């Protein structure tokens, strides 16, 4: 059996699958890996959450960066890897997709929002840090780039920020707890496009293994956890997943 057939058979035998996705699945949609050499975070010093909260100038800088770099994300479309996962969710075989990505491409590929657990939030909209009210980026872009005005919540006057988890910001407790529950309940855990270095997220494959689930890792490069996996594939995600699941 080649690797794709092995993956197909692991998927076929599983009753409850959880996917864990990282930047690698979205680079195939043209979204750069911000952490990679030459990525955005190596060009700009990250804005820490506390600085964003305490400094109007930092908030201005954060929104300037956001709108200067947003075009790539706006243009990106889901790829065959996203579509394969969407099919497994639709078939009721995949109970959740835990993702480190903030691009919303799993939802755009047709996965219901309640099946996507976003550990690092979502960069395609903004929210009020006080009341949680959702704000659309289009409106913020117009008033920020047009009148130079920082967004304030129309419900409570709170500070509005892209709905991502910033450096120095607490991990989202509800999502972390849900990710843990899903991981403990699955019998196949598939990692796609994550180098598994960022904790606590990278701890999930270990949890799955300890609970007796099978572990498959699909990533372009080797990861620290390859030795623990039942199947390791170093290849492009879209082509492997579309063959393993049978979608285009
Ligand atoms: Zn508010």
């Amino acid at each position: 059996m080649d690797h794709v057939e092995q993956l197909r058979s692991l998927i076929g035998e599983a009753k409850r699958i959880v996917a864990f996705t990282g930047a690698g699945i979205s680079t195939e949609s043209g979204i750069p890996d911000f952490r990679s050499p030459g990525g955005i975070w190596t060009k700009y010093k990250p804005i820490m959450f506390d600085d964003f909260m305490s400094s109007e100038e930092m908030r201005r800088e954060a929104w300037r960066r956001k709108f200067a770099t947003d075009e790539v994300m706006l243009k990106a479309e889901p790829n065959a890897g996203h579509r394969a996962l969407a099919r497994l969710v639709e078939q009721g075989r995949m109970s959740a997709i835990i993702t480190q990505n903030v691009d919303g491409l799993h939802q755009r590929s047709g996965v219901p929002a309640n099946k996507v657990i976003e550990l690092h939030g979502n960069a395609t909209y903004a929210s009020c840090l006080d009341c949680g009210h959702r704000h659309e980026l289009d409106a913020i872009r117009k008033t920020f780039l047009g009148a130079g005005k920082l967004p304030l919540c129309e419900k409570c006057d709170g500070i509005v920020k892209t709905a991502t988890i910033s450096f120095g910001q607490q991990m989202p407790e509800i999502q972390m707890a849900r990710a843990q529950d899903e991981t403990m309940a699955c019998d196949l855990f598939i990692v796609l496009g994550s180098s598994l270095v960022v904790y606590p997220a990278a701890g999930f494959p270990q949890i799955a293994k300890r609970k007796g689930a099978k572990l498959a890792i699909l990533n372009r490069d080797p990861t620290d956890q390859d030795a623990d996996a039942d199947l390791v594939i170093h290849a492009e995600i879209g082509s492997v997943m579309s063959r393993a699941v049978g979608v285009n």
Side-chain angles (χ1 to χ4, degrees):
M1 270 205 289
D2 74 5
H3 278 157
V4 175
E5 284 168 35
Q6 286 177 49
L7 181 57
R8 189 183 303 136
S9 111
L10 279 179
I11 290 171
E13 289 159 11
K15 299 223 164 17
R16 188 178 175 121
I17 309 169
V18 165
F20 182 93
T21 66
I25 191 168
S26 291
T27 52
E28 293 176 21
S29 287
I31 295 178
D33 179 359
F34 298 141
R35 285 188 172 83
S36 71
I40 289 171
W41 291 350
T42 60
K43 282 182 211 149
Y44 295 120
K45 186 166 172 278
I47 295 171
M48 303 300 288
F49 182 66
D50 286 348
D51 296 331
F52 182 92
M53 293 304 286
S54 61
S55 158
E56 186 182 314
E57 191 37 50
M58 280 298 179
R59 291 200 283 283
R60 280 191 186 283
E61 175 62 15
W63 284 111
R64 264 196 296 270
R65 286 183 193 181
K66 170 67 181 164
F67 294 129
T69 56
D70 216 24
E71 197 150 332
V72 192
M73 204 173 286
L74 289 173
K75 279 191 188 148
E77 296 289 338
N79 63 58
H82 295 104
R83 287 193 290 277
L85 298 181
R87 176 68 61 85
L88 291 172
V89 171
E90 188 190 351
Q91 291 169 342
R93 323 216 34 248
M94 179 166 279
S95 61
I97 298 171
I98 305 168
T99 188
Q100 296 174 291
N101 299 335
V102 296
D103 50 43
L105 288 179
H106 289 302
Q107 294 91 322
R108 294 253 318 274
S109 71
V111 179
N114 66 1
K115 298 282 185 188
V116 183
I117 303 172
E118 296 175 315
L119 298 180
H120 296 167
N122 190 310
T124 66
Y125 60 91
S127 56
C128 170
L129 290 166
D130 287 334
C131 75
H133 183 65
R134 175 176 167 141
H135 295 249
E136 301 307 326
L137 293 177
D138 273 348
I140 297 174
R141 186 185 294 108
K142 273 191 201 113
T143 48
F144 181 73
L145 296 180
K149 274 167 96 175
L150 282 169
L152 277 181
C153 179
E154 71 257 24
K155 301 245 183 231
C156 78
D157 274 346
I159 291 179
V160 174
K161 179 180 160 299
T162 308
T164 48
I165 306 300
S166 296
F167 287 97
Q169 188 174 1
Q170 204 189 1
M171 292 293 283
E173 272 174 44
I174 293 169
Q175 279 78 358
M176 286 295 288
R178 275 189 64 206
Q180 179 136 350
D181 289 348
E182 288 290 349
T183 301
M184 300 211 308
C186 77
D187 61 358
L188 173 61
F189 192 89
I190 309 177
V191 175
L192 306 107
S194 172
S195 47
L196 297 175
V197 289
V198 184
Y199 277 84
F204 289 113
Q206 302 292 325
I207 296 171
K209 277 304 279 183
R210 240 179 286 136
K211 292 296 275 186
K214 292 263 172 44
L215 173 62
I217 296 178
L218 172 48
N219 195 49
R220 192 187 55 189
D221 301 313
T223 78
D224 288 352
Q225 300 189 31
D226 283 4
D228 300 322
D230 299 278
L231 176 64
V232 177
I233 305 178
H234 296 148
E236 195 186 274
I237 293 164
S239 74
V240 170
M241 284 306 289
S242 56
R243 282 182 288 152
V245 177
V247 297
N248 290 312

